[in-house]
Amino acid sequence: MQLEIQMRTFRKPLLLGLSLILGVLLTLPANAAQYKISLLTCDPGDELYSTFGHTAVRILELESGQDLVFNYGTFDFNTPFFYIKFMRRTLDYQLSLTTTENFLREYNYFKRNVREQELNLSQEQSQKIVAFLQTNYQPENRKYRYDFFFDNCTTRITDMMETVLGESLKWNYPSENKNKTFRNLIDEYVYTLPWSDLGIDLALGAVIDREATEAEKAFLPDYLEAAFERATIIGDGPERPLVSQNNLIYDFPETRGTGINLVNPYVIFWTFAILVGILTFIGFKKKRLFKGFDITLFTVLGLLGILIVFLWFFTAHSQTKNNWNLFWAFPGHLYIAYLLFRKPNKAILKTLLLAAMILADIALIIWILGFQSFHPSILPLLLIVILRTNFLYYNLGRFSTLNKRT
């Protein structure tokens, strides 16, 4: 669900004309015209905000030729405290309205494929959908509290179809459900963006490691498109497909690179782990602690832990709860860093190092037992934490006379 942001360079010349069109549309009774209604599915883009694609509804008024797109995936950058609200999930998204030409211009500019599914609706059903969207577009109705999995630009269209068509809509979900968790579904789209994949796995908790039903999978545009293709309409005559015709609006050559990018977390973290192993071996042989490294390590892990705690307890994101990355990236590591820097001989330090070691071991167990799927690239980080806490726990006192040299 792309965080659709209409580009200002595209919008300004159209504002006056679009305002006139919208005024006519919103004052036109829904039952006074015939419509062709389509689902638009837009392929993912290269940036994180567009990684999962996008969905919108196209309404073509046949008599006048008015061709508009209703888009549930927009928000206002001018919202006060925009970034704070975005992080805490208190930013409202809204239904926007634009011309089809303006909507498609962005996808043409970024060379993103767009497919159209014309819906096989009766005139009455089409009019009800138009009336539903007109009502949703009223200022008091157009805003909603976005949820990535359960209330987004794609699920809103599912809700619209089920509200308007009711029991006449038959989804025909496949009998053999391919077991996929919500995390698996996300991974299908971010595997080409390893750093983004890592960030998502660090931020989202165990709540997304449950299996998604076929209906829940349709939070992604591609899955909704497939659901529309299977769906049928019943109850007003012979059963008929929901989609009457498929149109390929844009079909650009594949541009995503397929080569191996060595600057990815797997290569970086494993290389880092090997270097830390060598550093630890040298420290053991030369009876040196290299505390400066550990102070930096535990500071970074502690700060990451604070971010995890913030996302878990101080935001409205349901997907960031129960995040057991907290066991290895723990805010208390900041205190370990402080003691290593200021009071390395304090007795509690060894207790905290032992606790950090145990927590990292617990994180591994949680991962192995499947309570939460961690990003594979963090394995070397877990090994580093276990190695360094073990090294410091057993050697901090033994090498204390040499601490001033580190």
Side-chain angles (χ1 to χ4, degrees):
M1 302 54 49
Q2 176 179 351
L3 310 182
E4 292 297 326
I5 307 167
Q6 298 296 335
M7 300 178 67
R8 294 183 180 180
T9 55
F10 292 155
R11 288 195 304 181
K12 290 182 178 179
L14 295 171
L15 288 179
L16 180 59
L18 182 58
S19 298
L20 294 174
I21 292 175
L22 301 186
V24 172
L25 176 70
L26 295 176
T27 56
L28 183 66
N31 60 3
Q34 292 185 335
Y35 302 94
K36 182 176 76 174
I37 299 178
S38 306
L39 180 75
L40 297 179
T41 302
C42 311
D43 272 1
D46 295 327
E47 302 299 329
L48 180 60
Y49 75 87
S50 62
T51 296
F52 303 98
H54 187 52
T55 302
V57 178
R58 180 181 184 181
I59 306 290
L60 174 61
E61 203 279 294
L62 297 177
E63 183 176 351
S64 68
Q66 289 179 350
D67 195 358
L68 302 174
V69 169
F70 286 84
N71 180 2
Y72 278 103
T74 57
F75 52 75
D76 185 3
F77 260 127
N78 294 321
T79 301
F81 307 106
F82 174 86
Y83 290 104
I84 295 176
K85 290 183 177 180
F86 182 83
M87 179 175 289
R88 298 191 67 244
R89 196 193 155 238
T90 55
L91 177 70
D92 287 331
Y93 282 56
Q94 62 186 22
L95 174 63
S96 65
L97 190 56
T98 186
T99 64
T100 299
E101 179 183 7
N102 189 40
F103 177 83
L104 293 175
R105 185 180 288 113
E106 179 180 350
Y107 295 92
N108 182 50
Y109 180 84
F110 289 107
K111 306 301 180 187
R112 292 171 59 188
N113 298 339
V114 178
R115 297 175 298 280
E116 178 183 37
Q117 293 170 297
E118 296 183 13
L119 304 187
N120 197 10
L121 303 172
S122 67
Q123 181 176 346
E124 179 185 1
Q125 290 166 339
S126 297
Q127 291 168 352
K128 286 182 178 179
I129 285 180
V130 171
F132 181 95
L133 291 170
Q134 288 177 342
T135 300
N136 266 230
Y137 189 66
Q138 295 301 317
E140 65 273 18
N141 299 329
R142 67 182 60 164
K143 291 185 178 181
Y144 69 99
R145 190 58 50 86
Y146 179 91
D147 184 283
F148 181 76
F149 291 105
F150 302 113
D151 198 356
N152 61 37
C153 64
T154 303
T155 63
R156 284 262 156 174
I157 294 173
T158 301
D159 295 341
M160 175 192 73
M161 297 296 293
E162 292 179 344
T163 299
V164 173
L165 299 182
E167 295 182 356
S168 298
L169 179 61
K170 186 178 178 182
W171 286 113
N172 300 317
Y173 293 118
S175 55
E176 294 185 4
N177 182 21
K178 295 182 180 179
N179 297 330
K180 294 181 179 180
T181 67
F182 286 97
R183 197 183 301 274
N184 294 150
L185 293 167
I186 293 175
D187 288 343
E188 292 177 1
Y189 292 84
V190 296
Y191 71 94
T192 58
L193 302 169
W195 290 105
S196 299
D197 188 16
L198 171 63
I200 289 172
D201 280 343
L202 288 176
L204 303 186
V207 292
I208 71 166
D209 286 306
R210 73 168 178 86
E211 290 183 2
T213 65
E214 287 297 320
E216 289 172 333
K217 291 177 183 177
F219 78 92
L220 291 166
D222 289 337
Y223 282 85
L224 182 65
E225 180 185 22
F228 268 54
E229 202 62 39
R230 291 188 302 262
T232 55
I233 297 176
I234 59 176
D236 60 350
E239 185 172 354
R240 65 185 188 274
L242 174 61
V243 176
S244 60
Q245 181 174 322
N246 290 280
N247 303 318
L248 190 59
I249 296 178
Y250 291 142
D251 184 20
F252 298 105
E254 180 64 40
T255 57
R256 288 195 174 192
T258 57
I260 299 176
N261 181 7
L262 295 180
V263 186
N264 66 71
Y266 299 95
V267 174
I268 298 297
F269 291 164
W270 276 112
T271 301
F272 181 52
I274 292 171
L275 293 176
V276 172
I278 294 173
L279 179 72
T280 304
F281 178 76
I282 293 173
F284 180 77
K285 286 294 185 180
K286 295 191 174 184
K287 295 182 171 51
R288 296 192 60 184
L289 296 175
F290 298 111
K291 286 191 305 178
F293 167 78
D294 295 299
I295 291 169
T296 303
L297 173 67
F298 286 111
T299 298
V300 172
L301 293 179
L303 292 174
L304 178 58
I306 290 176
L307 177 60
I308 292 173
V309 168
F310 173 78
L311 292 173
W312 183 343
F313 295 101
F314 300 100
T315 73
H317 294 286
S318 61
Q319 300 84 19
T320 58
K321 312 303 180 186
N322 303 336
N323 188 347
W324 306 122
N325 282 295
L326 195 62
F327 279 107
W328 63 273
F330 189 67
H333 290 344
L334 287 172
Y335 190 48
I336 294 178
Y338 168 77
L339 291 178
L340 285 172
F341 180 65
R342 301 287 297 187
K343 301 177 181 179
N345 296 319
K346 196 165 185 178
I348 196 175
L349 178 56
K350 289 192 66 175
T351 303
L352 293 175
L353 289 169
L354 178 61
M357 187 193 316
I358 294 173
L359 288 176
D361 290 332
I362 292 175
L364 275 175
I365 294 171
I366 287 173
W367 190 359
I368 293 170
L369 296 181
F371 292 111
Q372 180 172 339
S373 178
F374 295 154
H375 193 274
S377 70
I378 73 161
L379 177 58
L381 299 182
L382 285 171
L383 296 178
I384 289 172
V385 174
I386 294 171
L387 175 64
R388 292 305 297 179
T389 52
N390 190 297
F391 176 74
L392 290 173
Y393 179 80
Y394 286 106
N395 296 296
L396 190 61
R398 294 172 57 193
F399 302 163
S400 60
T401 57
L402 302 174
N403 279 345
K404 294 181 181 181
R405 296 173 51 188
T406 62

